[in-house]
Amino acid sequence: MLEVRTLSAGYGRAQVLFQINLEVKAGEVVALLGRNGAGKSTALKAIMGLIPRWSGDILFENKSLENLEPHAVARLGLGYVPEDRRIFTGLAVAENLEVGRRPGAWDEGRVFSLFPRLKEVRERPAAHLSGGEQKMLAIARTLMGNPLAILLDEPSEGLAPLVVRQMAQAIGELRRAGLGVLLCEQNARFAEPLADRGYRIEKGRIRPA
């Protein structure tokens, strides 16, 4: 489904990723584990085309992502939930979901089934949500685009234990729904029980997990 081959990338003249290789198949959760600054977020941004890819190949559903803008990558079916959420704080929950809508099986009812709390706050402005609710909304909005696979950047960071458990259950549901999930986390205790397999990244290089 998603294949990353010898990917190198960075910011300006500063190289952050050094020929990384990874793969995500349909219906599996793959963990990319590492400390802050190890290159996890950079890897996701490079896959989505948010930063320049210096070298290497990225294939999604056997299609090259070379020279594609992020919106074009998303249209192919690759969803992305950044660490900083990037929800529309001035819009209500329902309005945020509508912004992300594309035809498919994931609709408002299905994302409310995944995250029942969002149904309770459907008309609330996103700015007035808790941090956990905002993360749920960011994932739900991405799912409304009906992706085939989803990149999750630090979904457990800063959440209360109860919300972390709810997030873990939701990721399990995504796997059962057949999505490929690339789960970037520094919290190995959260990620490892969810993952079918994993990679460890240190200083921009993939190491044995």
Side-chain angles (χ1 to χ4, degrees), residues 106-128:
W106 286 98
D107 57 15
E108 190 178 82
R110 193 172 182 187
V111 298
F112 285 161
S113 177
L114 186 68
F115 295 118
R117 176 59 183 160
L118 293 181
K119 185 175 183 179
E120 299 174 16
V121 295
R122 184 179 184 277
E123 302 303 328
R124 185 175 299 175
H128 297 164

Side-chain angles (χ1 to χ4, degrees), residues 2 22 24 30-32 44 47 150-153 180-184:
L2 175 65
L22 58 84
V24 180
V30 176
L32 181 60
L44 298 192
I47 290 170
I150 189 168
L151 313 178
L152 298 179
D153 196 359
V181 180
L182 180 57
L183 174 61
C184 288

Side-chain angles (χ1 to χ4, degrees), residues 8-18 42 51-52 54:
S8 295
Y11 303 92
R13 296 183 179 180
Q15 186 169 359
V16 178
L17 301 178
F18 298 84
T42 300
I51 64 170
W54 292 12

Side-chain angles (χ1 to χ4, degrees), residues 86-154:
R86 295 188 188 176
I87 57 175
F88 298 105
T89 55
L91 300 181
V93 167
E95 292 170 324
N96 268 275
L97 296 177
E98 189 62 32
V99 167
R101 182 189 294 273
R102 293 185 66 202
W106 286 98
D107 57 15
E108 190 178 82
R110 193 172 182 187
V111 298
F112 285 161
S113 177
L114 186 68
F115 295 118
R117 176 59 183 160
L118 293 181
K119 185 175 183 179
E120 299 174 16
V121 295
R122 184 179 184 277
E123 302 303 328
R124 185 175 299 175
H128 297 164
L129 302 180
S130 69
E133 290 165 348
Q134 288 187 351
K135 287 205 174 184
M136 293 176 189
L137 178 56
I139 295 172
R141 186 184 64 186
T142 300
L143 291 172
M144 289 287 286
N146 279 281
L148 302 173
I150 189 168
L151 313 178
L152 298 179
D153 196 359
E154 304 278 7

